[in-house]
Amino acid sequence: MDNEQLAFLRKRRSIRKYKPEQITDEQLQALLDTAVLAATAKRQEPWYFLVIQKPEILERLQDMTGLGRPYFGAPTLIVGFARADAEAPVVDTTLAMSNIMNAAVAVGLGTCWMNNTYYLFRSHPELSEEFGVPKGYTVVGALIVGVPDQEVPVPTDRRKDVIKIIK
């Protein structure tokens, strides 16, 4: 089965090379507007998004990871947090971040999930306080966002043994 929407979803790939230009405010707002439309248990919307575009802070965070330049030149970092007392905080926030990743394709941007930044905020909780994340929220994940400076990678073959259908 193939249609325009499915073809669109197949275009989303992790991008690991970005142009230095910052994404526009309109693009950023489109991503965030789409994020908050995600499915959410009991409509609790337990997410909180920290957007970092200040180059000095991005440099500092990259240095703290000890991994060189893990943001691949992306000018925007979005860190997703969830309210710990919600019904399904991690699932809800991850769904919202997935919406960001798909919306980025729609507005000509690329993204890449950053586990290193998740671990950074987990191991340095003072960062959340420094950046004004409300108390009671815990980091769920992070995305880099920017204008791709590479061809979108062709999807590789996927494992076939990870799905079972019972009829």
Side-chain angles (χ1 to χ4, degrees):
M1 173 183 263
D2 204 17
N3 66 35
E4 190 175 317
Q5 288 84 7
L6 291 174
F8 168 78
L9 290 173
R10 289 184 186 114
K11 289 180 182 177
R12 200 228 44 88
R13 310 265 37 95
S14 293
I15 302 299
R16 292 181 175 87
K17 187 176 180 188
Y18 295 89
K19 295 181 179 177
E21 66 206 51
Q22 186 55 267
I23 67 174
T24 68
D25 290 344
E26 293 78 19
Q27 288 170 317
L28 177 59
Q29 193 59 54
L31 302 183
L32 298 172
D33 288 347
T34 304
V36 299
L37 295 175
T40 174
K42 298 182 180 178
R43 201 169 184 269
Q44 291 183 330
E45 303 177 19
W47 41 67
Y48 181 88
F49 297 102
L50 171 65
V51 179
I52 300 174
Q53 296 182 315
K54 191 171 187 176
E56 299 82 23
I57 295 175
L58 293 172
E59 284 291 321
R60 183 173 133 228
L61 293 174
Q62 288 186 105
D63 289 343
M64 289 177 73
T65 69
L67 299 171
R69 293 290 161 250
Y71 298 162
F72 306 108
T76 297
L77 174 69
I78 301 175
V79 186
F81 296 83
R83 203 178 68 245
D85 65 349
E87 185 77 18
V90 173
V91 172
D92 289 355
T93 304
T94 302
L95 289 169
M97 295 180 76
S98 180
N99 275 9
I100 291 173
M101 295 170 86
N102 288 321
V105 175
V107 297
L109 300 174
T111 63
C112 191
W113 190 271
M114 291 284 103
N115 276 331
N116 55 52
T117 303
Y118 163 80
Y119 292 120
L120 183 66
F121 274 80
R122 292 286 296 194
S123 63
H124 294 279
E126 69 275 8
L127 289 172
S128 295
E129 185 175 331
E130 175 185 344
F131 296 130
V133 176
K135 297 265 189 236
Y137 283 78
T138 185
V139 65
V140 171
L143 301 169
I144 51 173
V145 183
V147 177
D149 193 17
Q150 69 175 69
E151 293 294 320
V152 176
V154 175
T156 58
D157 289 337
R158 301 297 185 189
R159 291 179 45 199
K160 305 290 188 226
D161 64 343
V162 297
I163 300 171
K164 181 174 187 168
I165 300 172
I166 300 174
K167 290 187 177 187

